[in-house]
Amino acid sequence: MGKIEIKNVTYTYSKDTPFEKAALKDVSAVFEDNRITGLIGHTGCGKSTLVQLFNGLLVPDCGEVLIDGVNVSAKGTDKRALRFRVGLVFQYPEYQLFEETVAADIAFGPKNMGLDDGEIKRRTLEALKFVGLPPTILSESPFDLSGGQKRRVAIAGVLAMEPEVLVLDEPAAGLDPAGRDSIFGGIREYQKETGRSVIIVSHSMEDMAEYTDDIVVMQEGRVKASGRTKDIFRQREMLEEAGLSVPGITLFMTELKRKGGGIDVGVFTVSDAFEEIKKYVEGVKKQC
Amino acid sequence: MADFITLKDLWFSYDPENVKDRENYILKGISLGIEEGSFVCVLGHNGSGKSTLAKIMNLVCTPTSGSVTVDGRTITEEPDEDTVFEIRGKVGMVFQNPDNQLVTTIVEDDVAFGPENLGVPSEEIRKRVDAALATVGMTEYAKHSTSMLSGGQKQRVAIAGVLAMQPRCIIFDESTAMLDPQGRRAVMDTIEKLHSEKGMTIIHITHNMDEAVNADRVIVVNDGRIFLDGTPSEVFSQEKKLREAGLGVLQVTELFGMLTRELGMKLPGGITDNRKGAEILSSALKNGKN
C-alpha cells in the first residue's frame, strides 16, 4: 500500500512570467511501498517541489503522479481525500501547532476525516506510542512543551491520520543526537508495524544510511540515481557530482583502504565498519 | 591570555520567585572563564541550559545569584541600560533562525542597522558595512533583497550585522542548526576565519560534534552544570559520558570505541580526524599481522 510512481513530470514555478523557474524537468521515479525511501539532493534540486506533488499541493504541468496505480495529478481529483492518503510533515512542523491541548491538536486531522471519538482516541494513543510520548501529555498545552516534544506532537498529528504514504521533510533538524535517534527509531518502528510507505527528505547522509531501504538522488530538477541504499552509497563520485557526500564512516574506510589492506569500502554505517574490520582481523589471525 | 568573560557560581532561573528549590534552576552554580581570543564550543542536549548560558554572557538574562564579568566589568544584579548597551557592544550574538534576525529588506541596510543605532557617523558606517560584508563573503549581495537569500547567506548577513558593531566576542547560538550542509560549511568557515584572522573570541553553541573538532576548547553542559571541559580530543574520548549527556560522537570516534571494547585493540580515544584515524588503525592492523 502506498506505492508512488512519478512519470515524466515537469513543474515550473511562475510560468509565463519573467520569474519563471523550472523546478522539475521530466522527472520519473518510483517510491516502492512498504519501505523507507530517502530523498536526497542539494538545496534547490527540486526535492520539496516533488513531495508537494504527492498530495496535490502542486499539480504538474505535464506528466503523471500515480498512487497505487491511480493517477492523482489529473484535474478534478478529489484533493481532500488525497491529503488524507498522503501525510506531509513539513520542516519545523512544531510551528504549525495551534490547539489548546495536545489531544485536540493530534485529533484535528482525524476529526476532519469524519472519524468517531473512539477511533480518534485509538489512533491518538497509537501515534503517541510511535513518537515516544506518554499519554499523560494529552491534557497539556502544546505551547508549554519543549521544542523536541512539540515536534513529536506535530508528527503524531499526521500519523493519526494513518496515511498510506508518510512524507517527512528533515524530521530531526535542530534536534540533539539522542532526539534524532529517537525520532528516526520511532519512524522505523512505525513503518515496520504498519507496512505503509515512508519517504524521508534529509541532508544527513549518516541518518539516510542508517534508516532508509532505498534512496532517490535528485540534481537540478532531475532524478540522478535511485536504488537500494547500499548501492547508492557505493557511488561516491556520483553523489559528489550531485553536491552531496557519503557518510563520515565511508570516508574513513576509504582512507583506511588507501593505507592498504583488503578492506571493503562499501560500508556506510558504524556497525558495518566494525564487522568489516573484525572480519579482517580474524582473517589475519587464521593465517598465522 | 586573560579571561574575557568570567562566570562565578552562577545560578539562574527564569522564575526564581516560584522555583524555591535551586536544584530546579536552569543553571546551577556555573563557574567558568572564557579566555580572550579563544574558540570555545559549547555542547549540550536540547534543554541542557546551554542557550541560557549564552544569554547570560551578553545580558539578555541576568544572574539570579553569582556574577558575570565581561571585559573587567562585573554584573551581579539587574544592570542599568548603559551597562547593557556597553556589554552588548562587546559581545555580539547570532541566533538560530535565519528568518528571525534580519530587520530590513536590503542586505547592506541590514548590516548598517546596528552601527546606526549606536550613533556611528555615516562615513564610518559605510566603511564598517563594506568591511563586514567582505569578511563574510557577501559583498556582491550588498544591494540584494534579504528575502531572496538562502539560509546560509542570511546567517552570514546576520554575522556581518554583528561585525559592523565591532564586538570583541561573538556568541553563535546554534546558528548552523537550520542550514543545509553547504550553508553550514560557509558559516563555519566564516566563524573559523573570525577566530584565526581577526583574533575574535568565539563561543559556538551546537550539537553537531563535527563543528567542535577545530575549537580550542569544548564545554559540555548537562542539566545546568558543566559536565565536561577540555580540548576536543579530551572530550571526545569520553564517549560514554557524552552519551549520558544525550550527545553522540563522530562516527570514526564511535568505531574506535567499538574496536577497543570488543576486539581489545589498543587504540587512542578521541580521534576525530579521518585521515589521522586511518593512519593509526592501519598501522595497528599491520602490527597485528606480525
Side-chain angles (χ1 to χ4, degrees):
Chain A
M1 199 171 54
K3 175 177 177 173
I4 297 189
E5 290 165 273
I6 311 289
K7 287 187 177 166
N8 306 101
V9 162
T10 297
Y11 186 84
T12 309
Y13 285 103
S14 311
K15 207 170 165 50
D16 302 323
T17 77
F19 305 104
E20 186 171 294
K21 189 173 183 299
L24 298 174
K25 303 165 189 164
D26 195 20
V27 169
S28 295
V30 179
F31 295 83
E32 295 288 352
D33 59 347
N34 193 11
R35 60 182 71 164
I36 301 182
T37 305
L39 179 57
I40 61 176
H42 196 263
T43 305
C45 71
K47 312 184 287 281
S48 302
T49 308
L50 186 66
V51 298
Q52 290 180 66
L53 295 173
F54 296 168
N55 75 346
L57 278 178
L58 299 175
V59 177
D61 299 335
C62 58
E64 292 180 338
V65 177
L66 308 178
I67 299 183
D68 292 327
V70 179
N71 185 356
V72 298
S73 55
K75 288 213 164 74
T77 310
D78 183 356
K79 291 273 160 44
R80 194 177 149 82
L82 181 59
R83 278 170 205 157
F84 297 144
R85 295 177 65 196
V86 181
L88 222 57
V89 180
F90 291 102
Q91 272 189 53
Y92 298 92
E94 57 272 29
Y95 294 135
Q96 298 170 34
L97 298 172
F98 66 99
E99 279 282 10
E100 278 177 26
T101 64
V102 169
D105 215 293
I106 296 177
F108 182 76
K111 218 170 228 168
N112 275 321
M113 296 171 79
L115 300 173
D116 64 59
D117 288 351
E119 176 66 8
I120 292 177
K121 178 96 190 160
R122 181 193 70 76
R123 289 183 174 204
T124 302
L125 291 173
E126 193 177 73
L128 277 185
K129 183 192 80 182
F130 285 123
V131 298
L133 290 174
T136 48
I137 210 166
L138 285 170
S139 56
E140 291 185 39
S141 161
F143 302 101
D144 289 340
L145 306 178
S146 76
Q149 287 173 322
K150 281 186 197 165
R151 175 85 51 94
R152 288 154 200 266
V153 169
I155 294 176
V158 178
L159 292 184
M161 292 163 71
E162 301 194 344
E164 291 154 45
V165 184
L166 173 69
V167 184
L168 303 118
D169 192 355
E170 292 282 4
L175 297 184
D176 58 51
R180 295 185 81 86
D181 288 347
S182 132
I183 289 260
F184 278 119
I187 292 168
R188 179 151 68 188
E189 212 172 288
Y190 162 84
Q191 198 286 319
K192 282 221 175 95
E193 262 185 49
T194 61
R196 301 190 191 107
S197 312
V198 174
I199 296 168
I200 303 175
V201 178
S202 174
H203 284 297
S204 165
M205 297 303 134
E206 286 80 7
D207 291 336
M208 291 282 99
E210 185 77 39
Y211 293 103
T212 65
D213 304 303
D214 289 348
I215 296 258
V216 172
V217 185
M218 290 191 66
Q219 185 185 14
E220 290 171 16
R222 293 193 164 85
V223 169
K224 189 172 177 71
S226 62
R228 307 299 291 193
T229 301
K230 61 178 189 313
D231 297 326
I232 292 294
F233 281 122
R234 276 180 186 279
Q235 305 173 54
R236 181 173 168 181
E237 274 175 27
M238 179 277 291
L239 288 166
E240 282 170 358
E241 256 174 47
L244 301 167
S245 61
V246 290
I249 197 70
T250 312
L251 292 174
F252 172 75
M253 294 300 273
T254 312
E255 284 291 337
L256 189 61
K257 193 189 171 80
R258 196 172 290 163
K259 302 265 178 258
I263 303 270
D264 184 5
V265 295
V267 160
F268 34 84
T269 64
V270 173
S271 48
D272 286 351
F274 173 74
E275 289 305 325
E276 186 59 33
I277 291 169
K278 190 177 166 191
K279 218 164 65 190
Y280 178 82
V281 171
E282 282 165 359
V284 170
K285 271 190 196 147
K286 257 181 218 155
Q287 284 170 19
C288 292
Chain B
M1 248 191 254
D3 284 347
F4 186 65
I5 299 176
T6 314
L7 307 178
K8 274 205 185 119
D9 193 29
L10 185 115
W11 293 77
F12 180 80
S13 167
Y14 284 99
D15 188 15
E17 310 276 291
N18 293 313
V19 182
K20 294 290 175 232
D21 186 355
R22 296 222 296 183
E23 272 309 301
N24 293 328
Y25 274 27
I26 307 279
L27 298 176
K28 300 166 191 170
I30 288 192
S31 294
L32 177 70
I34 304 283
E35 203 177 300
E36 174 137 36
S38 63
F39 176 7
V40 179
C41 216
V42 181
L43 302 172
H45 66 81
N46 298 116
S48 60
K50 60 188 191 305
S51 292
T52 307
L53 187 63
K55 286 179 189 160
I56 295 272
M57 292 181 185
N58 80 342
L59 302 189
V60 174
C61 297
T62 31
T64 307
S65 78
S67 71
V68 51
T69 306
V70 178
D71 196 24
R73 189 149 184 160
T74 301
I75 285 100
T76 51
E77 52 195 22
E78 198 66 48
D80 58 62
E81 214 172 56
D82 290 341
T83 312
V84 171
F85 275 116
E86 189 194 317
I87 301 288
R88 299 236 178 106
K90 289 176 179 170
V91 183
M93 197 145 171
V94 179
F95 296 94
Q96 181 180 122
N97 192 334
D99 290 319
N100 285 356
Q101 45 192 331
L102 300 186
V103 290
T104 72
T105 52
I106 303 294
V107 167
E108 62 176 10
D109 291 353
D110 201 274
V111 179
F113 184 82
E116 257 171 8
N117 277 308
L118 294 177
V120 175
S122 60
E123 307 93 77
E124 170 68 13
I125 292 181
R126 180 76 259 168
K127 274 189 218 152
R128 288 192 188 187
V129 168
D130 291 345
L133 283 173
T135 303
V136 301
M138 289 293 290
T139 303
E140 57 178 313
Y141 292 89
K143 311 268 184 212
H144 281 228
S145 162
T146 48
S147 64
M148 302 295 277
L149 303 176
S150 72
Q153 289 170 331
K154 282 180 186 167
Q155 287 301 63
R156 278 145 69 203
V157 172
I159 295 173
V162 172
L163 284 178
M165 295 169 75
Q166 301 191 330
R168 286 165 52 196
C169 169
I170 302 185
I171 301 173
F172 295 89
D173 188 5
E174 297 195 44
S175 308
T176 55
M178 294 177 84
L179 305 179
D180 63 41
Q182 199 190 27
R184 180 170 293 190
R185 192 64 256 158
V187 167
M188 281 315 295
D189 285 347
T190 307
I191 291 176
E192 281 165 18
K193 186 171 151 192
L194 293 177
H195 170 243
S196 61
E197 291 178 18
K198 309 253 168 194
M200 291 183 77
T201 308
I202 303 286
I203 300 168
H204 180 49
I205 299 172
T206 182
H207 35 234
N208 278 307
M209 306 301 134
D210 54 343
E211 291 173 6
V213 298
N214 291 331
D216 298 322
R217 177 178 174 194
V218 177
I219 296 171
V220 177
V221 179
N222 190 28
D223 192 22
R225 292 196 165 89
I226 292 180
F227 190 64
L228 293 171
D229 184 354
T231 62
S233 73
E234 280 165 5
V235 169
F236 288 125
S237 61
Q238 308 197 50
E239 188 181 338
K240 207 174 144 214
K241 283 204 141 185
L242 284 166
R243 292 205 189 278
E244 214 178 293
L247 299 168
V249 291
L250 292 176
Q251 290 193 316
V252 55
T253 320
E254 189 183 347
L255 175 66
F256 270 50
M258 286 173 85
L259 293 171
T260 311
R261 273 195 313 275
E262 290 174 39
L263 297 185
M265 293 180 77
K266 286 191 177 55
L267 298 168
I271 291 293
T272 53
D273 184 73
N274 281 335
R275 190 158 297 167
K276 203 169 144 199
E279 239 163 63
I280 292 170
L281 182 54
S282 117
S283 63
L285 289 174
K286 275 175 197 150
N287 288 340
K289 251 182 198 170
N290 299 331

